Amino acid sequence: MTPAPPGRGSRWRQFCLLALITIVMAGGGLYLFIVTVDPWDALPLSPRFARVPVTSNARYTMPALARNPRFDSVVIGTSTSRLMQPALLDRAFDARFLNMAMNSASPWEQARELDMFLRHHPRPRIVMIGIDAAWCHERPGSLTSPNRPWPEWMYGHPAWTGYLHMASLYALQEAANQFLWLAGLKAQRFGTDGYTSFVPPDDHYDPARVQAVFARWAPPDNTPAPPGMADTPPATMGLLAEMLERMPASTLKILWFPPASSMLHGTAGSIAAARLQACRLGVSRLAARTPDTVALDFNHDSTLTENRDNFWDPLHYRIPVAQRLMTDIAATIRTGRADDAIMDRLPADAPR
């Protein structure tokens, strides 16, 4: 007697079981691929490949660089500090710099980065912190939260927790990019010292195009400032003070104002001008009371900031300017004298 063919319910159960096994095996295979490649060099048991930064959001790539023992100095800041090139700073200061500056980094993010670096380099030689609009403008949440997707699990948490964050499409995408580089099929885009030029090559500079960018840029707040505003440092100075206190006295701390076009400085007596003045006051007070701390201001009206040909837009300067900044910072630290044409060494008792 011929057995009855399996019923529709039985065939459906077999199909579901097969589909489940396929999904588990495919998902498990992809997860194994991710944790083996370890795109952000964050997992304790992954192979010790010579990985490079592959992710455009530097918040994911900086923790691995901060753990690297070859560095002894660091640059912290936003995009206005990104053109500080470690290779040039190393020669100028006889140090080994890591540039951890990130686009749109909030003060909170910068503090978390510094904590990460100090955890692995408890006695850094030099710490440079760029003081720009992120520190001088009091924006809601800037002292307590990130400005872009932030992998908090990479900053100070046990390394094994990273395995809980690898089951994502983003991790799969970046693992594929890292794998392609390891296999020699993808060019390296981001530097292993944190430096990557984000501006066009300087021989592509077009003054007419830059003037058009300036014309579209929102003007500063030139409404009259309320009384006392210029004499009241922003609340961000509290966090900056905590960052300075966490560094050993032997560390050279450089607080510097990257140059922006003078069009952003505001007119005399305006809110924009008062905000910048108050920020200078706060920084100069911190420098005065913190051992081995220097405050340098490139962001005042000068031959540098008044010439638009020095900038790609009102906020971002050109590579030759960055090279001049690094040279002048090193010379000022070495000699104690500032080039008054473009830079001011902030006094301890009052802003410029």
Side-chain angles (χ1 to χ4, degrees):
M1 183 176 180
T2 304
R8 181 178 301 175
S10 176
R11 290 196 299 271
W12 178 246
R13 284 192 297 273
Q14 292 175 1
F15 170 79
C16 289
L17 179 60
L18 180 61
L20 179 61
I21 293 173
T22 302
I23 291 172
V24 169
M25 291 183 63
L30 290 174
Y31 181 78
L32 182 61
F33 169 74
I34 294 170
V35 299
T36 300
V37 174
D38 186 9
W40 303 301
D41 200 11
L43 303 176
L45 299 179
S46 61
R48 297 297 90 194
F49 297 140
R51 299 172 179 84
V52 298
V54 295
T55 303
S56 59
N57 183 352
R59 290 148 179 83
Y60 286 81
T61 63
M62 289 304 171
L65 297 182
R67 293 194 300 271
N68 194 318
R70 73 184 178 99
F71 301 114
D72 62 17
S73 301
V74 67
V75 175
I76 301 288
T78 70
S79 59
T80 60
S81 294
R82 281 189 61 190
L83 293 184
M84 295 292 100
Q85 189 171 356
L88 299 181
L89 291 172
D90 290 353
R91 291 197 292 270
F93 288 98
D94 190 24
R96 300 185 303 277
F97 271 89
L98 168 64
N99 189 327
M100 297 185 75
M102 304 185 304
N103 292 351
S104 303
S106 68
W108 180 86
E109 289 174 300
Q110 295 180 48
R112 297 293 289 129
E113 281 192 297
L114 180 62
D115 287 345
M116 184 71 181
F117 189 80
L118 291 176
R119 191 173 300 117
H120 299 277
H121 307 272
R123 300 186 66 83
R125 287 191 56 198
I126 305 169
V127 174
M128 291 178 57
I129 302 177
I131 309 298
D132 60 7
W135 289 99
C136 297
H137 296 197
E138 296 185 43
R139 294 187 172 93
S142 67
L143 295 178
T144 57
S145 63
N147 281 334
R148 296 189 180 181
W150 175 265
E152 177 60 24
W153 56 272
M154 290 187 182
Y155 291 81
H157 295 265
W160 65 265
T161 62
Y163 289 98
L164 304 177
H165 297 270
M166 290 295 172
S168 72
L169 291 177
Y170 189 55
L172 176 60
Q173 168 190 292
E174 298 310 293
N177 287 330
Q178 187 71 255
F179 175 79
L180 289 174
W181 181 85
L182 290 168
L185 301 175
K186 186 179 181 71
Q188 182 174 342
R189 180 182 175 190
F190 305 106
T192 51
D193 59 6
Y195 174 79
T196 303
S197 175
F198 66 100
V199 297
D202 209 64
D203 58 6
H204 291 188
Y205 189 79
D206 182 353
R209 183 175 181 181
V210 170
Q211 289 294 336
V213 172
F214 269 76
R216 295 193 300 268
W217 200 274
D221 189 346
N222 283 319
T223 56
M229 181 177 179
D231 301 319
T232 307
T236 53
M237 293 298 105
L239 178 58
L240 184 59
E242 293 175 5
M243 293 168 65
L244 294 173
E245 290 168 359
R246 289 198 284 272
M247 296 181 234
S250 60
T251 297
L252 172 60
K253 309 157 193 75
I254 303 174
L255 308 178
W256 70 293
F257 287 79
S261 170
S262 58
M263 72 163 282
L264 297 181
H265 297 168
T267 57
S270 68
I271 286 179
R275 182 183 290 128
L276 184 55
Q277 190 81 340
C279 203
R280 291 192 187 109
L281 177 61
V283 169
S284 64
R285 287 176 176 173
L286 288 176
R289 74 179 195 228
T290 308
D292 215 2
T293 301
V294 177
L296 302 174
D297 180 19
F298 292 91
N299 196 28
H300 59 271
D301 293 341
S302 68
T303 56
L304 169 63
T305 61
E306 291 171 356
N307 184 354
R308 292 187 176 184
D309 288 340
N310 287 322
F311 298 90
W312 287 99
D313 59 48
L315 196 59
H316 298 107
Y317 45 85
R318 297 169 63 181
I319 288 179
V321 173
Q323 294 169 344
R324 171 72 186 277
L325 295 175
M326 288 182 278
T327 298
D328 284 1
I329 291 172
T332 300
I333 298 302
R334 186 170 56 251
T335 66
R337 295 191 300 273
D339 180 350
D340 293 335
I342 67 168
M343 178 172 55
D344 185 17
R345 180 165 180 161
L346 293 179
D349 54 351
R352 178 181 171 87

